[in-house]
Amino acid sequence: GLEMLNVSRDELFKSNAVSYYVDPDQRKRLKDDLYETGSTPPTEVEFTRPDGTLFFVILSSTLLEFEGQKAHLTYLYDISERKKAEEAMRESQQRLSDAVESIGDGVALYDADDKFVFCNTAFRGNLEILDDVLVPGTPFETVVRAAGERILYKNDPDGLEKYVPRRLAEHKRRESTVHYYSETDSSI
């Protein structure tokens, strides 16, 4: 903890622990939990150093007896780099989302496992009837089958059974396709 806080051992023992917490109420909750249950689960905490710099840790404490006195053993694991990486990823995802949203045509993105990630407003507007399947994690095949059942081939089960494997094959070959749905007067 001394290196993380950038303080000497004497400075640490002379200081008030609450001064290191960005949220003093969080320290109170953790301390209350520690004395109530004997331990605190690993918890993300934002700390501040005496020089004012902020950093994040995972904190875990256990109540124990040391040399005949109650004490608590606290583990701190610095996760500042992970938090920076998470923030950079959020910013990158927002830039990607903004770029896709600016495209006038309907665009849907799927991950490497062919699970739906997100789509732009134009895509969703074209296919409001599929709102219940256009949720993150839905397999591509489920979306294709729903589009076939609800729009393209709702009165033609034989056509649906031909469409789904054909569309999946196109997708597997990564062919860009546009499908026109006359009932909704939309294309994707």
Side-chain angles (χ1 to χ4, degrees), residues 6-22:
N6 199 22
V7 295
S8 70
R9 184 177 170 89
D10 287 341
E11 289 172 318
L12 180 65
F13 285 112
K14 289 178 184 175
S15 65
N16 182 348
V18 75
S19 68
Y20 297 112
Y21 285 76
V22 170

Side-chain angles (χ1 to χ4, degrees), residues 49-111:
R49 293 183 179 95
D51 67 5
T53 58
L54 303 176
F55 67 106
F56 288 90
V57 299
I58 296 291
L59 178 146
S60 179
S61 293
T62 303
L63 202 55
L64 51 88
E65 192 170 305
F66 180 73
E67 296 181 354
Q69 295 184 17
K70 280 188 176 180
H72 49 87
L73 179 62
T74 300
Y75 297 92
L76 301 175
Y77 180 73
D78 189 340
I79 59 166
S80 298
E81 291 305 312
R82 186 190 87 194
K83 296 293 284 182
K84 287 177 188 173
E86 288 172 353
E87 180 59 28
M89 185 169 62
R90 271 191 297 277
E91 290 172 1
S92 177
Q93 287 172 331
Q94 186 60 53
R95 283 192 304 276
L96 174 61
S97 179
D98 291 346
V100 170
E101 192 60 42
S102 72
I103 298 170
D105 294 328
V107 176
L109 295 177
Y110 291 83
D111 65 17

Side-chain angles (χ1 to χ4, degrees), residues 120-152:
N120 65 2
T121 303
F123 186 90
R124 191 170 295 278
N126 288 338
L127 297 169
E128 290 175 2
I129 195 167
L130 299 179
D131 271 350
D132 62 315
V133 294
L134 294 177
V135 294
T138 302
F140 179 75
E141 182 173 357
T142 301
V143 175
V144 166
R145 185 165 292 284
E149 289 171 349
R150 298 176 192 179
I151 303 168
L152 294 172

